[in-house]
Amino acid sequence: MPGDRLSEVFDLVEVSSVLTGGIAARGGWWSRGPLSDPVKFFAMVAGRARLTTDGIEEPVELQPGDVAILIGRSWVAFEAGEAPRREIQPESDFSAERFATADRATDDVLIGGCINLNEAGKALLLRALPPVAHVRASAADSDRLRAALLLVFDEATGDRIGSAFAIRQYSQLVLLEVLRAYVDQAALPPGLLRLLTDERLRPALGLMHSDPSRGWGLEELARAAAMSRTSFAERFRTVAGVPPLTYLNRWRVLPAQRALRDGAVRVAELAAELGYGSESAFSTAFKRVVGESPRSYRLRARQTAPASLVLIALGTYLISNWLS
């Protein structure tokens, strides 16, 4: 992917992934359950399985190193091996015996988790993926993806000090490698990922990302892309799924969220810094993307901050003891 725009997106949309459970089984088996998280991922560490969910006509064949991302699905089911198949319940405790004794050469090992995004991230990233995105390790630069999956699984089953912290970090790597591979192997729908890979629009996108507070006009952006205003507007909408200035307004909200969460800047000052003509105009744009006013968002973010600080302090303590 050109440049490092994806890293920039990860930072601003607060994307994170959490490992929630998995299956380790041999022979014929099946499993089915409801989905409550809006974004789920399932990764085949070893073996094979068929995934079905609402909204698809044919099962997704998962092979070693494959990952499936499910968006807005209400249930998921898996089956593997020959009939008769026995029902398997997913296990949330990776220290359980079934994982400890799993043989990657013969067993089916599947892990699952959820992907968390802030509201602005959902508006940008989720539109870039279909309801079911299948990333094939065989068609990707698979070494890094498989290595990241094995690191996650080894940490989850190793029961070592600091493993929770390591799992979070490696899960991030898995998600990054999945998106990289998806970009390389799929026909991308309109959305952020397709926009990030469009060479014609890249110069204009760079202007908007580097200085979102500036009142960019179509003429300037089209000139940067060496296109006419009409051609630029049409291509941008086709690629991104939204007009250029709508995208710019959504992008402006991301640094605004970070400033409200982490700093003491007044809303009126933040509105001026981001190029809005008034505080009310900024508040309206912010609420349209995030779903609540800047002041409400700041209050909610600060109410949850102490718990986050405790987790950070605990992670630092565990690392210090691990390295000592």
Side-chain angles (χ1 to χ4, degrees), residues 289-314:
V289 175
V290 179
E292 60 185 330
S293 70
R295 288 185 171 83
S296 296
Y297 175 82
R298 167 175 274 169
L299 179 61
R300 180 172 58 82
R302 289 184 174 180
Q303 286 175 340
T304 59
S308 300
L309 293 175
V310 169
L311 290 174
I312 292 172
L314 179 59

PDB file of all heavy atoms in Angstrom, residues 289-314:
ATOM      1  N   VAL A 289     -21.278  12.365  12.601  1.00  0.00           N
ATOM      2  CA  VAL A 289     -20.379  11.223  12.424  1.00  0.00           C
ATOM      3  C   VAL A 289     -20.341  10.339  13.665  1.00  0.00           C
ATOM      4  O   VAL A 289     -20.421   9.114  13.578  1.00  0.00           O
ATOM      5  CB  VAL A 289     -18.950  11.714  12.083  1.00  0.00           C
ATOM      6  CG1 VAL A 289     -17.980  10.530  12.024  1.00  0.00           C
ATOM      7  CG2 VAL A 289     -18.957  12.454  10.754  1.00  0.00           C
ATOM      8  N   VAL A 290     -20.214  10.954  14.845  1.00  0.00           N
ATOM      9  CA  VAL A 290     -19.979  10.203  16.073  1.00  0.00           C
ATOM     10  C   VAL A 290     -21.268   9.771  16.750  1.00  0.00           C
ATOM     11  O   VAL A 290     -21.307   8.756  17.440  1.00  0.00           O
ATOM     12  CB  VAL A 290     -19.104  11.037  17.039  1.00  0.00           C
ATOM     13  CG1 VAL A 290     -18.861  10.306  18.348  1.00  0.00           C
ATOM     14  CG2 VAL A 290     -17.784  11.394  16.374  1.00  0.00           C
ATOM     15  N   GLY A 291     -22.338  10.550  16.557  1.00  0.00           N
ATOM     16  CA  GLY A 291     -23.599  10.199  17.178  1.00  0.00           C
ATOM     17  C   GLY A 291     -23.878  10.919  18.473  1.00  0.00           C
ATOM     18  O   GLY A 291     -24.918  10.690  19.109  1.00  0.00           O
ATOM     19  N   GLU A 292     -22.983  11.778  18.913  1.00  0.00           N
ATOM     20  CA  GLU A 292     -23.171  12.576  20.120  1.00  0.00           C
ATOM     21  C   GLU A 292     -22.373  13.864  19.989  1.00  0.00           C
ATOM     22  O   GLU A 292     -21.484  13.980  19.141  1.00  0.00           O
ATOM     23  CB  GLU A 292     -22.738  11.805  21.364  1.00  0.00           C
ATOM     24  CG  GLU A 292     -21.286  11.372  21.367  1.00  0.00           C
ATOM     25  CD  GLU A 292     -20.951  10.519  22.576  1.00  0.00           C
ATOM     26  OE1 GLU A 292     -21.570  10.682  23.645  1.00  0.00           O
ATOM     27  OE2 GLU A 292     -20.043   9.662  22.450  1.00  0.00           O
ATOM     28  N   SER A 293     -22.680  14.833  20.824  1.00  0.00           N
ATOM     29  CA  SER A 293     -22.015  16.125  20.737  1.00  0.00           C
ATOM     30  C   SER A 293     -20.581  16.028  21.238  1.00  0.00           C
ATOM     31  O   SER A 293     -20.227  15.086  21.967  1.00  0.00           O
ATOM     32  CB  SER A 293     -22.772  17.156  21.581  1.00  0.00           C
ATOM     33  OG  SER A 293     -22.620  16.868  22.969  1.00  0.00           O
ATOM     34  N   PRO A 294     -19.717  16.997  20.874  1.00  0.00           N
ATOM     35  CA  PRO A 294     -18.337  16.978  21.368  1.00  0.00           C
ATOM     36  C   PRO A 294     -18.255  16.948  22.888  1.00  0.00           C
ATOM     37  O   PRO A 294     -17.426  16.232  23.458  1.00  0.00           O
ATOM     38  CB  PRO A 294     -17.745  18.267  20.799  1.00  0.00           C
ATOM     39  CG  PRO A 294     -18.548  18.549  19.576  1.00  0.00           C
ATOM     40  CD  PRO A 294     -19.932  18.095  19.899  1.00  0.00           C
ATOM     41  N   ARG A 295     -19.097  17.713  23.566  1.00  0.00           N
ATOM     42  CA  ARG A 295     -19.062  17.733  25.035  1.00  0.00           C
ATOM     43  C   ARG A 295     -19.491  16.400  25.624  1.00  0.00           C
ATOM     44  O   ARG A 295     -18.891  15.921  26.600  1.00  0.00           O
ATOM     45  CB  ARG A 295     -19.934  18.875  25.554  1.00  0.00           C
ATOM     46  CG  ARG A 295     -19.324  20.258  25.326  1.00  0.00           C
ATOM     47  CD  ARG A 295     -20.170  21.358  25.969  1.00  0.00           C
ATOM     48  NE  ARG A 295     -19.461  22.637  25.934  1.00  0.00           N
ATOM     49  CZ  ARG A 295     -19.436  23.450  24.889  1.00  0.00           C
ATOM     50  NH1 ARG A 295     -20.098  23.112  23.784  1.00  0.00           N
ATOM     51  NH2 ARG A 295     -18.766  24.588  24.928  1.00  0.00           N
ATOM     52  N   SER A 296     -20.502  15.785  25.054  1.00  0.00           N
ATOM     53  CA  SER A 296     -20.936  14.464  25.547  1.00  0.00           C
ATOM     54  C   SER A 296     -19.848  13.424  25.324  1.00  0.00           C
ATOM     55  O   SER A 296     -19.588  12.576  26.188  1.00  0.00           O
ATOM     56  CB  SER A 296     -22.223  14.038  24.849  1.00  0.00           C
ATOM     57  OG  SER A 296     -23.284  14.910  25.159  1.00  0.00           O
ATOM     58  N   TYR A 297     -19.214  13.488  24.154  1.00  0.00           N
ATOM     59  CA  TYR A 297     -18.140  12.548  23.867  1.00  0.00           C
ATOM     60  C   TYR A 297     -16.995  12.722  24.852  1.00  0.00           C
ATOM     61  O   TYR A 297     -16.453  11.738  25.372  1.00  0.00           O
ATOM     62  CB  TYR A 297     -17.633  12.749  22.439  1.00  0.00           C
ATOM     63  CG  TYR A 297     -16.429  11.895  22.107  1.00  0.00           C
ATOM     64  CD1 TYR A 297     -16.583  10.562  21.726  1.00  0.00           C
ATOM     65  CD2 TYR A 297     -15.135  12.415  22.197  1.00  0.00           C
ATOM     66  CE1 TYR A 297     -15.487   9.777  21.441  1.00  0.00           C
ATOM     67  CE2 TYR A 297     -14.037  11.627  21.918  1.00  0.00           C
ATOM     68  CZ  TYR A 297     -14.219  10.318  21.535  1.00  0.00           C
ATOM     69  OH  TYR A 297     -13.116   9.529  21.263  1.00  0.00           O
ATOM     70  N   ARG A 298     -16.596  13.970  25.123  1.00  0.00           N
ATOM     71  CA  ARG A 298     -15.497  14.223  26.060  1.00  0.00           C
ATOM     72  C   ARG A 298     -15.831  13.687  27.443  1.00  0.00           C
ATOM     73  O   ARG A 298     -14.996  13.042  28.081  1.00  0.00           O
ATOM     74  CB  ARG A 298     -15.200  15.721  26.131  1.00  0.00           C
ATOM     75  CG  ARG A 298     -14.297  16.120  27.297  1.00  0.00           C
ATOM     76  CD  ARG A 298     -13.939  17.581  27.240  1.00  0.00           C
ATOM     77  NE  ARG A 298     -12.771  17.776  26.398  1.00  0.00           N
ATOM     78  CZ  ARG A 298     -12.348  18.962  25.982  1.00  0.00           C
ATOM     79  NH1 ARG A 298     -13.028  20.053  26.297  1.00  0.00           N
ATOM     80  NH2 ARG A 298     -11.270  19.065  25.251  1.00  0.00           N
ATOM     81  N   LEU A 299     -17.040  13.927  27.914  1.00  0.00           N
ATOM     82  CA  LEU A 299     -17.445  13.459  29.235  1.00  0.00           C
ATOM     83  C   LEU A 299     -17.401  11.947  29.309  1.00  0.00           C
ATOM     84  O   LEU A 299     -16.876  11.373  30.273  1.00  0.00           O
ATOM     85  CB  LEU A 299     -18.851  13.966  29.548  1.00  0.00           C
ATOM     86  CG  LEU A 299     -19.447  13.545  30.896  1.00  0.00           C
ATOM     87  CD1 LEU A 299     -18.593  14.078  32.049  1.00  0.00           C
ATOM     88  CD2 LEU A 299     -20.886  14.040  31.027  1.00  0.00           C
ATOM     89  N   ARG A 300     -17.934  11.273  28.292  1.00  0.00           N
ATOM     90  CA  ARG A 300     -17.938   9.805  28.304  1.00  0.00           C
ATOM     91  C   ARG A 300     -16.526   9.252  28.229  1.00  0.00           C
ATOM     92  O   ARG A 300     -16.179   8.292  28.924  1.00  0.00           O
ATOM     93  CB  ARG A 300     -18.781   9.287  27.135  1.00  0.00           C
ATOM     94  CG  ARG A 300     -18.869   7.772  27.045  1.00  0.00           C
ATOM     95  CD  ARG A 300     -19.880   7.346  25.997  1.00  0.00           C
ATOM     96  NE  ARG A 300     -19.567   7.870  24.685  1.00  0.00           N
ATOM     97  CZ  ARG A 300     -18.666   7.309  23.856  1.00  0.00           C
ATOM     98  NH1 ARG A 300     -17.992   6.228  24.243  1.00  0.00           N
ATOM     99  NH2 ARG A 300     -18.451   7.829  22.672  1.00  0.00           N
ATOM    100  N   ALA A 301     -15.678   9.862  27.379  1.00  0.00           N
ATOM    101  CA  ALA A 301     -14.303   9.388  27.232  1.00  0.00           C
ATOM    102  C   ALA A 301     -13.522   9.548  28.527  1.00  0.00           C
ATOM    103  O   ALA A 301     -12.734   8.673  28.904  1.00  0.00           O
ATOM    104  CB  ALA A 301     -13.604  10.140  26.106  1.00  0.00           C
ATOM    105  N   ARG A 302     -13.758  10.656  29.242  1.00  0.00           N
ATOM    106  CA  ARG A 302     -13.019  10.886  30.486  1.00  0.00           C
ATOM    107  C   ARG A 302     -13.523  10.006  31.613  1.00  0.00           C
ATOM    108  O   ARG A 302     -12.770   9.665  32.521  1.00  0.00           O
ATOM    109  CB  ARG A 302     -13.109  12.359  30.861  1.00  0.00           C
ATOM    110  CG  ARG A 302     -12.285  13.234  29.928  1.00  0.00           C
ATOM    111  CD  ARG A 302     -12.291  14.679  30.343  1.00  0.00           C
ATOM    112  NE  ARG A 302     -11.381  15.453  29.500  1.00  0.00           N
ATOM    113  CZ  ARG A 302     -11.178  16.754  29.634  1.00  0.00           C
ATOM    114  NH1 ARG A 302     -11.825  17.432  30.573  1.00  0.00           N
ATOM    115  NH2 ARG A 302     -10.331  17.381  28.836  1.00  0.00           N
ATOM    116  N   GLN A 303     -14.786   9.624  31.558  1.00  0.00           N
ATOM    117  CA  GLN A 303     -15.308   8.718  32.577  1.00  0.00           C
ATOM    118  C   GLN A 303     -14.705   7.330  32.482  1.00  0.00           C
ATOM    119  O   GLN A 303     -14.557   6.634  33.487  1.00  0.00           O
ATOM    120  CB  GLN A 303     -16.835   8.628  32.460  1.00  0.00           C
ATOM    121  CG  GLN A 303     -17.559   9.858  32.964  1.00  0.00           C
ATOM    122  CD  GLN A 303     -19.050   9.786  32.724  1.00  0.00           C
ATOM    123  OE1 GLN A 303     -19.521   9.021  31.873  1.00  0.00           O
ATOM    124  NE2 GLN A 303     -19.809  10.584  33.462  1.00  0.00           N
ATOM    125  N   THR A 304     -14.339   6.927  31.265  1.00  0.00           N
ATOM    126  CA  THR A 304     -13.726   5.611  31.068  1.00  0.00           C
ATOM    127  C   THR A 304     -12.216   5.657  31.129  1.00  0.00           C
ATOM    128  O   THR A 304     -11.563   4.622  31.145  1.00  0.00           O
ATOM    129  CB  THR A 304     -14.133   5.027  29.707  1.00  0.00           C
ATOM    130  OG1 THR A 304     -13.716   5.923  28.663  1.00  0.00           O
ATOM    131  CG2 THR A 304     -15.641   4.844  29.637  1.00  0.00           C
ATOM    132  N   ALA A 305     -11.619   6.856  31.181  1.00  0.00           N
ATOM    133  CA  ALA A 305     -10.165   6.986  31.176  1.00  0.00           C
ATOM    134  C   ALA A 305      -9.492   6.333  32.361  1.00  0.00           C
ATOM    135  O   ALA A 305      -8.450   5.690  32.221  1.00  0.00           O
ATOM    136  CB  ALA A 305      -9.774   8.466  31.094  1.00  0.00           C
ATOM    137  N   PRO A 306     -10.008   6.451  33.616  1.00  0.00           N
ATOM    138  CA  PRO A 306      -9.305   5.826  34.732  1.00  0.00           C
ATOM    139  C   PRO A 306      -9.083   4.338  34.563  1.00  0.00           C
ATOM    140  O   PRO A 306      -8.026   3.819  34.883  1.00  0.00           O
ATOM    141  CB  PRO A 306     -10.235   6.124  35.921  1.00  0.00           C
ATOM    142  CG  PRO A 306     -10.944   7.382  35.530  1.00  0.00           C
ATOM    143  CD  PRO A 306     -11.139   7.260  34.048  1.00  0.00           C
ATOM    144  N   ALA A 307     -10.091   3.631  34.038  1.00  0.00           N
ATOM    145  CA  ALA A 307      -9.914   2.190  33.830  1.00  0.00           C
ATOM    146  C   ALA A 307      -8.807   1.922  32.828  1.00  0.00           C
ATOM    147  O   ALA A 307      -8.023   0.989  32.970  1.00  0.00           O
ATOM    148  CB  ALA A 307     -11.225   1.568  33.348  1.00  0.00           C
ATOM    149  N   SER A 308      -8.730   2.756  31.777  1.00  0.00           N
ATOM    150  CA  SER A 308      -7.689   2.583  30.784  1.00  0.00           C
ATOM    151  C   SER A 308      -6.317   2.798  31.389  1.00  0.00           C
ATOM    152  O   SER A 308      -5.361   2.088  31.088  1.00  0.00           O
ATOM    153  CB  SER A 308      -7.912   3.561  29.625  1.00  0.00           C
ATOM    154  OG  SER A 308      -9.153   3.340  29.019  1.00  0.00           O
ATOM    155  N   LEU A 309      -6.212   3.818  32.269  1.00  0.00           N
ATOM    156  CA  LEU A 309      -4.927   4.095  32.901  1.00  0.00           C
ATOM    157  C   LEU A 309      -4.492   2.939  33.790  1.00  0.00           C
ATOM    158  O   LEU A 309      -3.309   2.612  33.881  1.00  0.00           O
ATOM    159  CB  LEU A 309      -5.025   5.390  33.726  1.00  0.00           C
ATOM    160  CG  LEU A 309      -5.227   6.673  32.908  1.00  0.00           C
ATOM    161  CD1 LEU A 309      -5.430   7.861  33.849  1.00  0.00           C
ATOM    162  CD2 LEU A 309      -4.034   6.927  32.001  1.00  0.00           C
ATOM    163  N   VAL A 310      -5.459   2.316  34.480  1.00  0.00           N
ATOM    164  CA  VAL A 310      -5.127   1.164  35.312  1.00  0.00           C
ATOM    165  C   VAL A 310      -4.568   0.029  34.463  1.00  0.00           C
ATOM    166  O   VAL A 310      -3.580  -0.620  34.814  1.00  0.00           O
ATOM    167  CB  VAL A 310      -6.374   0.685  36.099  1.00  0.00           C
ATOM    168  CG1 VAL A 310      -6.105  -0.659  36.750  1.00  0.00           C
ATOM    169  CG2 VAL A 310      -6.752   1.722  37.150  1.00  0.00           C
ATOM    170  N   LEU A 311      -5.196  -0.226  33.308  1.00  0.00           N
ATOM    171  CA  LEU A 311      -4.727  -1.284  32.424  1.00  0.00           C
ATOM    172  C   LEU A 311      -3.327  -0.992  31.911  1.00  0.00           C
ATOM    173  O   LEU A 311      -2.484  -1.889  31.823  1.00  0.00           O
ATOM    174  CB  LEU A 311      -5.695  -1.459  31.252  1.00  0.00           C
ATOM    175  CG  LEU A 311      -7.066  -2.051  31.597  1.00  0.00           C
ATOM    176  CD1 LEU A 311      -7.964  -2.033  30.368  1.00  0.00           C
ATOM    177  CD2 LEU A 311      -6.925  -3.451  32.141  1.00  0.00           C
ATOM    178  N   ILE A 312      -3.069   0.284  31.554  1.00  0.00           N
ATOM    179  CA  ILE A 312      -1.741   0.652  31.073  1.00  0.00           C
ATOM    180  C   ILE A 312      -0.706   0.443  32.161  1.00  0.00           C
ATOM    181  O   ILE A 312       0.390  -0.092  31.940  1.00  0.00           O
ATOM    182  CB  ILE A 312      -1.744   2.116  30.596  1.00  0.00           C
ATOM    183  CG1 ILE A 312      -2.609   2.252  29.338  1.00  0.00           C
ATOM    184  CG2 ILE A 312      -0.331   2.604  30.305  1.00  0.00           C
ATOM    185  CD1 ILE A 312      -2.832   3.685  28.912  1.00  0.00           C
ATOM    186  N   ALA A 313      -1.044   0.880  33.398  1.00  0.00           N
ATOM    187  CA  ALA A 313      -0.112   0.722  34.510  1.00  0.00           C
ATOM    188  C   ALA A 313       0.160  -0.755  34.786  1.00  0.00           C
ATOM    189  O   ALA A 313       1.303  -1.160  35.044  1.00  0.00           O
ATOM    190  CB  ALA A 313      -0.676   1.395  35.759  1.00  0.00           C
ATOM    191  N   LEU A 314      -0.892  -1.574  34.733  1.00  0.00           N
ATOM    192  CA  LEU A 314      -0.718  -3.009  34.964  1.00  0.00           C
ATOM    193  C   LEU A 314       0.151  -3.637  33.893  1.00  0.00           C
ATOM    194  O   LEU A 314       1.037  -4.452  34.174  1.00  0.00           O
ATOM    195  CB  LEU A 314      -2.084  -3.698  35.004  1.00  0.00           C
ATOM    196  CG  LEU A 314      -2.083  -5.219  35.208  1.00  0.00           C
ATOM    197  CD1 LEU A 314      -1.398  -5.569  36.526  1.00  0.00           C
ATOM    198  CD2 LEU A 314      -3.503  -5.758  35.179  1.00  0.00           C
TER     199      LEU A 314
END
